């Protein structure tokens, strides 16, 4: 297995997950800034590894598998530590929606891949918008403190709610795109039993 630059960036993103957790819980005044910087850097490597892969044709099967796993792990960990810091019903609900959708869409993609129809559940525009809103929201929530008079945490809460709504919308779009293939597979199963 050849490790490309994008794959190394993805592996670095995974390695940053325990660093994010440790830094977030350190007992210093600057830890929120450092945790936010780690998260923003990891988010930028997600964009950068995709750009390098496309620009320099450095695709690999391992990288294609690992990239979404790294993204989901980073987001889930950031959500968990944010909910632990600010444990309200709304924060737990938004985090549950986002994490639950990620698991469901991953399972749907896996199933569609087994049917040879993975392209039908490719990333859509609403999914990309959701990712951007989600990353900005989590960056704000990790930072927590007011900045230049702006209530950063409150803005992050509203953005996370928007990300959760976009998450449901994009999840519905994926399910709708996959539905004909799933129905066809179900019909084949019924025919084979008759």
């Amino acid at each position: 297995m050849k490790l490309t630059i994008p794959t190394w960036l993805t592996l670095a993103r995974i390695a940053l997950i325990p660093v994010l957790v440790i830094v977030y819980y350190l007992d210093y005044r600057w830890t929120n800034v450092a945790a936010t910087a780690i998260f923003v850097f990891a988010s930028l490597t997600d964009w950068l590894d995709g750009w390098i892969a496309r620009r320099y044709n450095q695709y690999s099967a391992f990288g294609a598998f690992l990239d979404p796993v790294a993204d989901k792990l980073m987001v889930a960990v950031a959500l968990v530590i944010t909910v632990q810091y600010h444990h309200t019903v709304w924060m737990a609900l938004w985090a549950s929606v986002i994490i639950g959708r990620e698991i469901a869409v991953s399972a749907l993609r896996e199933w569609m891949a087994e049917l040879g129809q993975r392209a039908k559940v490719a990333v859509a525009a609403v999914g990309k918008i959701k990712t951007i809103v989600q990353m900005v929201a989590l960056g704000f929530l990790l930072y927590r403190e007011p900045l230049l008079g702006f209530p950063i945490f409150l803005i992050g809460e509203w953005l996370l709610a928007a990300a959760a709504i976009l998450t449901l919308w994009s999840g519905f779009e994926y399910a709708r795109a996959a539905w004909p293939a799933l129905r066809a597979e179900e019909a084949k199963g019924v025919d084979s039993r008759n």
Side-chain angles (χ1 to χ4, degrees), residues 54-145:
R54 286 185 300 277
R55 176 86 165 98
Y56 298 102
N57 199 26
Q58 292 193 5
Y59 291 103
S60 72
F62 181 61
F65 156 76
L66 198 60
D67 183 62
V69 172
D71 301 343
K72 287 164 183 42
L73 287 172
M74 181 62 80
V75 166
V77 167
L79 283 166
V80 167
I81 62 178
T82 299
V83 170
Q84 192 275 330
Y85 171 77
H86 188 72
H87 46 280
T88 66
V89 164
W90 291 110
M91 290 293 283
L93 178 64
W94 304 140
S96 298
V97 164
I98 292 169
I99 292 171
R101 179 266 189 195
E102 295 299 345
I103 293 168
V105 168
S106 293
L108 179 64
R109 284 187 177 138
E110 182 66 29
W111 191 12
M112 292 300 286
E114 285 184 26
L115 299 177
Q117 308 233 2
R118 183 169 170 85
K120 290 194 176 186
V121 286
V123 177
V126 69
K128 291 180 181 182
I129 294 166
K130 179 269 309 178
T131 299
I132 293 168
V133 173
Q134 181 177 272
M135 295 306 188
V136 172
L138 287 170
F140 281 20
L141 291 169
L142 290 169
Y143 187 79
R144 297 190 310 255
E145 303 297 325

Side-chain angles (χ1 to χ4, degrees), residues 141-183:
L141 291 169
L142 290 169
Y143 187 79
R144 297 190 310 255
E145 303 297 325
L147 183 65
L148 302 174
F150 291 101
I152 296 299
F153 193 84
L154 181 61
I155 295 168
E157 284 184 290
W158 282 101
L159 286 173
L160 192 65
I165 291 165
L166 288 168
T167 290
L168 290 173
W169 180 9
S170 67
F172 172 76
E173 290 296 321
Y174 289 126
R176 189 168 63 106
W179 186 250
L182 299 175
R183 293 287 298 160

Side-chain angles (χ1 to χ4, degrees), residues 3-27:
L3 292 179
T4 62
I5 293 170
T7 304
W8 279 111
L9 288 171
T10 301
L11 289 168
R13 195 158 64 251
I14 292 171
L16 284 174
I17 293 170
V19 176
L20 171 67
V21 174
I22 291 166
V23 167
Y24 188 84
Y25 286 103
L26 287 174
D27 195 21

